[in-house]
Amino acid sequence: VQTCALPILNLSSLPEDIQYLDLFGVVYYVPWDRLVPGASFFLKTTASASVVQKKLRKLEKVLNMELRAHPRCEFGYYGVRVWRVS
């Protein structure tokens, strides 16, 4: 059995604009410390995937993660799914 030791993120030390993702005035809380490589989350939003990806660039640098955003329609809602690639 292999285990993967991932660094634990101390979210309390992150600036507030990193802890939350603001898209067109709608604030999303994402538990970044639990987002392991391969995991994803869905944002129910009218923002395009490119707008979301642009917002994620700052987060990627601060959190040392690679994230990818793709447009999706899930459960009848338009939105963007974000995957942690690495």
Side-chain angles (χ1 to χ4, degrees), residues 8 14 18 31 39 44-45 47 57 63 67 72 76 84 86:
I8 301 300
L14 292 175
I18 299 295
K44 190 170 100 174
T45 180
R57 284 188 189 131
L63 300 173
L67 303 167
R72 301 286 298 229
R84 178 175 176 188
S86 64

Side-chain angles (χ1 to χ4, degrees), residues 3-82:
T3 59
C4 178
L6 294 172
I8 301 300
L9 297 173
N10 183 0
L11 292 182
S12 61
S13 67
L14 292 175
E16 190 169 300
D17 63 331
I18 299 295
Q19 293 181 35
Y20 301 95
L21 184 59
D22 185 338
L23 296 169
F24 300 126
V26 178
V27 180
Y28 299 89
Y29 170 75
V30 180
W32 298 111
D33 56 334
R34 296 194 329 223
L35 192 64
V36 297
S40 69
F41 58 91
F42 181 75
L43 299 172
K44 190 170 100 174
T45 180
T46 57
S48 68
S50 60
V51 169
V52 173
Q53 188 70 52
K54 189 179 287 187
K55 287 275 194 174
L56 294 173
R57 284 188 189 131
K58 182 179 179 182
L59 296 168
E60 288 178 307
K61 291 176 184 176
V62 172
L63 300 173
N64 196 28
M65 294 180 180
E66 185 180 353
L67 303 167
R68 290 290 174 259
H70 295 280
R72 301 286 298 229
C73 185
E74 296 186 11
F75 307 107
Y77 295 104
Y78 175 80
V80 175
R81 182 158 288 277
V82 177

